Amino acid sequence: MIAAASECRVSLPPVIEYDADRADLPLVVVPVSIPSMTTLLRDRLDEFAGLARVRIHTDWTDDEDVLAARMSDATVVMSTGFRASARLLERIAGRVRCITFCGTGAVSFIDLEAARRLGITICNAVHYGDNAVAEHAIALMFEHTHRVGELNARTHQGGWPGADITELSGRTLGIIGLGGIGRRVSRLAHGIGLRLLVWDRHPDAAELAALNAESAATMDEVFSRADIVSLHLALNDATRGIIGPAQLDLMRPGALLVNTARAELIEPGAMLRRLSRGDIAAAIDVTAPEPLPDDDPLRTLPNLIITPHVAWRSDRALAALVEQNVRSAVEFLKGGAYNVLV
């Protein structure tokens, strides 16, 4: 994760400690953080009173040795998005009994099978950023059709760059997955005037009727009929790689693929190969791997809009995320359970 420019102005000490002298209490560690989350966590430290000491490291590192050292004395770890491989979990197992994850897609960051084998409880957060991610998906659609960011950058560089734009209203938006985020995208899109074509394993007839949305019999139908396809599936064993060349080849020339869910929903290499033909476009907030290497060929595609996995990072979403993570940690320390995934 990369701190936003506004965050770089925040001055924080390297480590924030709470009740550090209470050696009789278990230790909760935040091994890495970003400034916006650090300040929110700091404001909720009193919720650990009498339950635990807390240590927040306010910098960011991907170094596994550093992470392992920082978590070596912890009973509970609050993760703000570092990668927890099986090897790292094995290094901290025995001491660390619970990891609370800052999001819904823990499977992309934590080896859940290893955690289960090692007896480490994993908690996640749910629905904290449904609106934030939905708005970002719509923003990506607008950037593709109205090109606001591109035209702003070009105008700042000089001259008066003219350009034609396209309207979203009246086009068909295909929604793959009608969970919390998919529903919110559908409602926003309905307000804009998009026609809705939805594929979901368990379609909600009342919800579809309220949105005047059409239910697609298959996922392939969405790819073949929609002007825009927006992905909103959770990543799991059943959905990993669920979209491949067969689906992407169904997209009509001029169509747009939007992905604010998980990059791993798409078969590795399939999107690059399809976009390289030049007749469709994509707008994504997620990549595999993350961060995306500077020399990754996706960066060279003119028909691809990329944002660096920031859709979840609105002010309200971050506050809800921290609230859920703190609650998960507190409940675990009390012997209870909240948002337990493993």
Side-chain angles (χ1 to χ4, degrees):
M1 295 180 183
I2 301 172
S6 60
E7 295 175 337
C8 296
R9 295 192 293 268
V10 178
S11 178
L12 293 166
V15 179
I16 296 172
E17 300 261 12
Y18 177 81
D19 273 354
D21 58 341
R22 291 290 308 272
D24 58 309
L25 296 176
L27 177 64
V28 174
V29 169
V30 182
V32 290
S33 189
I34 58 176
S36 53
M37 293 187 72
T38 301
T39 54
L40 290 167
L41 285 164
R42 182 181 57 190
D43 292 343
R44 303 188 75 101
L45 288 177
D46 284 344
E47 297 181 39
F48 291 96
L51 286 174
R53 299 168 286 148
V54 182
R55 181 181 303 141
I56 304 172
H57 295 269
T58 63
D59 64 343
W60 189 268
T61 179
D62 294 314
D63 189 302
E64 192 171 282
D65 290 334
V66 174
L67 290 169
R70 291 179 178 182
M71 296 185 287
S72 61
D73 295 329
T75 299
V76 175
V77 169
M78 298 180 68
S79 165
T80 56
F82 65 88
R83 304 281 173 176
S85 64
R87 183 176 64 179
L88 179 56
L89 293 175
E90 288 165 358
R91 294 177 68 174
I92 63 176
R95 180 70 183 190
V96 173
R97 295 169 48 214
C98 175
I99 298 175
T100 69
F101 177 70
C102 70
T104 302
V107 66
S108 297
F109 291 82
I110 301 173
D111 190 319
L112 299 182
E113 185 54 42
R116 185 177 290 107
R117 171 170 51 84
L118 296 166
I120 300 174
T121 297
I122 306 295
C123 305
N124 67 347
V126 296
H127 301 302
Y128 67 94
D130 286 1
N131 187 69
V133 178
E135 286 189 4
H136 198 85
I138 297 293
L140 289 171
M141 297 176 203
F142 271 122
E143 179 59 31
H144 173 69
T145 56
H146 287 256
R147 304 166 63 185
V148 173
E150 174 195 337
L151 291 170
N152 173 63
R154 288 170 56 190
T155 304
H156 274 285
Q157 290 168 4
W160 197 247
D164 296 331
I165 61 174
T166 305
E167 296 182 20
L168 285 175
S169 179
R171 293 177 176 269
T172 297
L173 172 62
I175 299 288
I176 304 292
L178 199 63
I181 297 171
R183 285 195 300 272
R184 184 59 181 154
V185 169
S186 298
R187 291 167 187 163
L188 292 172
H190 179 65
I192 293 169
L194 284 153
R195 297 190 298 265
L196 298 174
L197 177 64
V198 176
W199 179 82
D200 189 78
R201 283 192 170 87
H202 307 287
D204 185 327
E207 181 77 20
L208 293 172
L211 294 167
N212 196 28
E214 181 182 353
S215 179
T218 65
M219 189 169 62
D220 286 2
E221 181 184 352
V222 175
F223 278 92
S224 64
R225 291 179 53 195
D227 299 302
I228 304 165
V229 178
S230 193
L231 306 183
H232 301 289
L233 294 171
L235 180 64
N236 52 48
D237 289 342
T239 61
R240 187 180 299 274
I242 193 172
I243 297 161
Q247 287 72 39
L248 298 181
D249 283 347
L250 293 171
M251 297 182 73
R252 299 177 298 185
L256 173 69
L257 175 68
V258 177
N259 191 1
T260 54
R262 283 291 183 269
E264 294 88 347
L265 294 173
I266 303 174
E267 183 181 310
M271 187 177 70
L272 174 62
R273 290 192 297 271
R274 183 67 181 87
L275 290 175
S276 295
R277 287 156 55 181
D279 63 330
I280 69 165
I284 62 175
D285 185 54
V286 288
T287 63
E290 291 182 0
L292 188 67
D294 289 344
D295 61 352
D296 192 287
L298 287 176
R299 293 183 184 265
T300 69
L301 297 175
N303 53 339
L304 176 63
I305 298 166
I306 311 173
T307 56
H309 204 160
V310 296
W312 61 281
R313 283 177 61 172
S314 77
D315 51 354
R316 288 190 293 176
L318 284 168
L321 176 59
V322 168
E323 187 277 331
Q324 290 191 47
N325 272 256
V326 169
R327 182 174 173 184
S328 291
V330 167
E331 288 299 319
F332 181 84
L333 291 164
K334 289 180 177 180
Y338 179 71
N339 282 353
V340 172
L341 187 63
V342 172

